[in-house]
Amino acid sequence: MIRRPGSDITAITGVGLYFGCNGLVFAALLPWYPLLVERLGLSSWEFGLVVASFALGAIVSSVVPAHLISRFGPNAVVVGGTALLALSAAATAWSVNGAMMAACLFLVGFCDAIVDVAQNVVGISIQETLSRSILSSMHALWSLGGLVSGAAATMAAGSGMDMRAYLAMIAVVSGVVILSARKLIGNAVTARALAESDSDDDAEAEGSGSAASESTARESAAAGPHHRPKRAILLMALPLAVVAICGTAVEDIANNWSAIAAVEFSGVPAATAGIAFSVVIGSQCIGRFSGDVLVQRFGPAALARLGGGFIALGGLIVVTAIEPVQLLIGLGLMGYGSATLVPGALGAAAHIPGVGRAGGVTLVNWIMRIGYLGTSPLVGVIATLGTLRWGLSVLIVIGAVTTIFAGRLGRQQVQAG
């Protein structure tokens, strides 16, 4: 198939809009949390349980994306899933109690996980078709979409705009963006090209009689799970999952507690407290854009260890903050430090001996989601027993744990090499 440089750029732009739109929809809701908590009269532990329903929805959806993608194709799943995601986020604004808010966030998490899998499938297919690495930058664009959306939502809340009207508008905007992205991908890379890429993958996995396919098949057989006890595989996966959980825990705390901390710790008005979330996701976006270069130069383990130090220092600054600037500096350090933890852990998981690439990534990703589920309830319980400052002090522990286990990222790759 003959490709033109212009079509390559068009394809990459379309995938970037997929990821950016996903970040946009998700982040549009977060800055409104303080107003929702105030309106519904939720305590810290109640809010922690409510927002944990997002992670629960993501876990429950784990087997759904593959079935939908197999039946409808990844592009259709991204488009349809994004529409349902935006509607679920908009419905959250109509919550009349904590139970309704939890149900809406469950649907948000359910749809978000499906879209996340499908857009990554599209990104990988196009990446292989174009023979050009694009996926890392796509994840950075997710952060960028979240940054822009979070800042816009914060301004809307600060200006007194109605939450329901704003999220309804975001649903319409996301529909336009996602359909435009689908058109760009369709024009640049045809369904036939994507199918050829998938067929090539299947042929390589099953063996086609060529020397390369036979070699791949032999390597896959040698790495089969029966050659290594399940306990040994789990012991290798757990440290990587711990690093991934540390990364998602920082994200979860930023999503659900940063705006509330801005109100309680430094007196930021609830309507503009969403700036705290924007700082975290903005610094994470910078970290992701620069992550590939830094990993190549210093290695994933060294970068994760440095990230753990930033998280711990940022957490210490946050829990001792008494004015906005100090708080925002701490949040920025947290976001930057967590930027490469999940990609680094999943990359190392692909090299766990005995399970194959997909098996290693799936195992670590599943454990990561379970750990993500408990983060906000833990903060909420500690905050209820003490104060929110004590609750957010878990960030210092997260940073320390990251530093301890960071070496496993590089060690796992050496073992696999």
Side-chain angles (χ1 to χ4, degrees), residues 73 119 212 250 400:
Q119 68 187 6
V250 173

Side-chain angles (χ1 to χ4, degrees), residues 10-367:
T10 305
I12 294 170
T13 301
V15 182
L17 286 175
Y18 272 0
F19 278 83
C21 186
N22 183 243
L24 179 148
V25 175
F26 177 66
L29 175 62
L30 303 181
W32 300 97
Y33 277 176
L35 293 177
L36 277 168
V37 169
E38 183 179 304
R39 190 179 81 190
L40 301 179
L42 300 176
S43 65
S44 293
W45 72 268
E46 288 173 331
F47 178 68
L49 290 177
V50 166
V51 295
S53 62
F54 173 88
L56 181 61
I59 292 174
V60 171
S61 74
S62 60
V63 298
V64 176
H67 293 295
L68 293 178
I69 291 170
S70 176
R71 181 167 183 176
F72 302 107
N75 283 295
V77 174
V78 172
V79 174
T82 299
L84 293 176
L85 172 64
L87 290 174
S88 300
T92 307
W94 293 84
S95 298
V96 295
N97 53 43
M100 181 177 175
M101 183 177 174
C104 290
L105 290 180
F106 178 90
L107 292 175
V108 172
F110 188 89
C111 296
D112 182 69
I114 293 173
V115 172
D116 184 46
V117 172
Q119 68 187 6
N120 274 283
V121 169
V122 175
I124 292 170
S125 298
I126 292 180
Q127 177 173 269
E128 293 175 353
T129 302
L130 302 180
S131 300
R132 178 177 177 180
S133 178
I134 63 171
L135 211 57
S136 294
S137 296
M138 297 302 102
H139 284 273
L141 288 172
W142 180 93
S143 296
L144 182 61
L147 171 63
V148 173
S149 179
T154 299
M155 289 191 297
S159 66
M161 185 173 181
D162 183 76
M163 182 192 317
R164 293 168 292 188
Y166 181 81
L167 291 175
M169 180 186 68
I170 289 296
V172 174
V173 170
S174 66
V176 173
V177 172
I178 209 68
L179 289 174
S180 300
R182 176 66 187 95
K183 184 175 181 181
L184 288 173
I185 293 173
N187 290 340
V189 180
T190 65
R192 178 182 177 185
L194 290 173
E196 288 174 352
S197 176
D198 292 338
S199 297
D200 290 343
D201 289 343
D202 293 339
E204 182 179 358
E206 296 173 2
S208 62
S210 67
S213 296
E214 290 173 358
S215 175
T216 301
R218 286 194 300 270
E219 291 173 3
S220 298
H226 59 278
H227 282 273
R228 191 173 293 269
K230 293 181 179 179
R231 182 179 179 183
I233 292 171
L234 184 61
L235 288 176
M236 287 186 288
L238 278 176
L240 304 179
V242 168
V243 175
I245 290 171
C246 288
T248 56
V250 173
E251 293 179 6
D252 188 52
I253 290 172
N255 293 345
N256 302 323
W257 298 99
S258 60
I260 294 175
V263 174
E264 291 193 16
F265 295 177
S266 52
V268 175
T272 58
I275 190 174
F277 164 74
S278 297
V279 168
V280 177
I281 199 170
S283 59
Q284 185 187 67
C285 181
I286 295 172
R288 285 178 171 171
F289 273 121
S290 62
D292 287 337
V293 174
L294 294 175
V295 166
Q296 287 180 344
R297 181 165 185 178
F298 301 106
L303 192 59
R305 193 173 291 111
L306 179 64
F310 280 166
I311 293 170
L313 178 59
L316 179 62
I317 293 174
V318 166
V319 299
T320 59
I322 57 175
E323 49 90 21
V325 174
Q326 180 183 349
L327 178 76
L328 296 180
I329 290 174
L331 293 173
L333 287 172
M334 285 166 39
Y336 190 85
S338 67
T340 62
L341 297 185
V342 174
L346 294 181
H351 300 284
I352 295 176
V355 292
R357 177 173 298 177
V361 173
T362 300
L363 177 59
V364 171
N365 186 63
W366 178 253
I367 300 172

